[in-house]
Amino acid sequence: MRIFFLIFLSLIFMTAQAQNNLNRGYKVKVGDQSPKIDLKLLDGQLINNENIKGKVLVFQFTASWCSVCIKEMPHLEKEVWQRFKDDDFILIGVDLMEDLEVVHEFIFSTGVTYPFTIDGDGSFFESFTLPKAGVTRNIVLDQNGKISFLTRLYDEKEFAQMIEHIEQLLK
């Protein structure tokens, strides 16, 4: 009987892991309305669900200790921000739970110019993700605030698909 119980627990764990791999750590999916947005950017600008309507928005979840994030950020700067910043488009770097001084140094060291905010307690990040999810993520919202594209880690093919997707939304 004990062996069956252990097998049963193993199957539950494997099912949960398989589900996590399918959703890549997200608790939201494409087509969902964005969770509540109530952010203050480092420049003092307020961003919320109401004032982003009509714009395509990308949240880039990042942190200074994340090597994959650091690899992706120059691509976001050049291929996304510089390309679309004059359109109805916003790219916001969302630093996960770091101090202001660390974030300023991080922005300076990566050379990015897109707006940033700090998710001090991680609650904004967790409104999109499962507990203990990895940080390298981009979430694209359409003009109606619906999630329209999700990335995980930095994969060149997926990154190119995200750019094409943003381009289509802005047409």
Side-chain angles (χ1 to χ4, degrees):
M1 183 69 160
R2 186 176 183 161
I3 190 75
F4 290 114
F5 181 71
L6 290 174
I7 292 171
F8 177 72
L9 285 179
S10 295
L11 288 173
I12 289 173
F13 178 76
M14 289 171 31
T15 302
Q17 285 300 103
Q19 180 63 33
N20 195 25
N21 288 338
L22 289 175
N23 63 27
R24 302 187 313 161
Y26 283 105
K27 65 181 172 188
V28 296
K29 61 185 180 310
V30 170
D32 288 354
Q33 194 66 38
S34 172
K36 181 180 179 184
I37 300 169
D38 187 16
L39 302 172
K40 184 176 183 180
L41 301 181
L42 296 183
D43 69 3
Q45 181 181 358
L46 300 177
I47 301 291
N48 58 49
N49 297 79
E50 285 303 310
N51 67 13
I52 64 164
K53 285 186 178 172
K55 298 186 182 302
V56 173
L57 186 142
V58 175
F59 289 117
Q60 178 235 351
F61 289 98
T62 189
S64 67
W65 45 262
C66 172
S67 61
V68 177
C69 301
I70 293 167
K71 179 181 177 182
E72 179 185 60
M73 290 171 74
H75 298 282
L76 282 165
E77 173 70 24
K78 182 180 178 187
E79 299 167 46
V80 179
W81 180 239
Q82 293 302 322
R83 181 171 174 190
F84 300 117
K85 70 179 182 177
D86 295 325
D87 298 328
D88 284 330
F89 176 81
I90 307 168
L91 168 61
I92 299 174
V94 182
D95 187 274
L96 189 59
M97 299 187 290
E98 295 187 294
D99 293 331
L100 181 61
E101 300 82 32
V102 171
V103 175
H104 278 299
E105 176 57 34
F106 180 42
I107 293 167
F108 177 78
S109 69
T110 56
V112 298
T113 62
Y114 48 88
F116 257 79
T117 189
I118 300 173
D119 185 8
D121 64 1
S123 60
F124 185 63
F125 179 67
E126 290 178 1
S127 69
F128 292 94
T129 64
L130 297 170
K132 301 186 188 324
V135 71
T136 310
R137 297 173 185 279
N138 296 300
I139 298 172
V140 180
L141 304 181
D142 69 13
Q143 293 89 334
N144 299 309
K146 287 190 177 179
I147 297 167
S148 64
F149 201 90
L150 300 167
T151 72
R152 174 71 181 113
L153 298 172
Y154 175 68
D155 173 78
E156 290 180 20
K157 182 177 178 185
E158 183 178 60
F159 193 84
Q161 290 170 341
M162 180 183 74
I163 292 171
E164 286 178 30
H165 183 76
I166 293 167
E167 191 174 71
Q168 290 301 311
L169 286 173
L170 290 170
K171 283 187 177 182

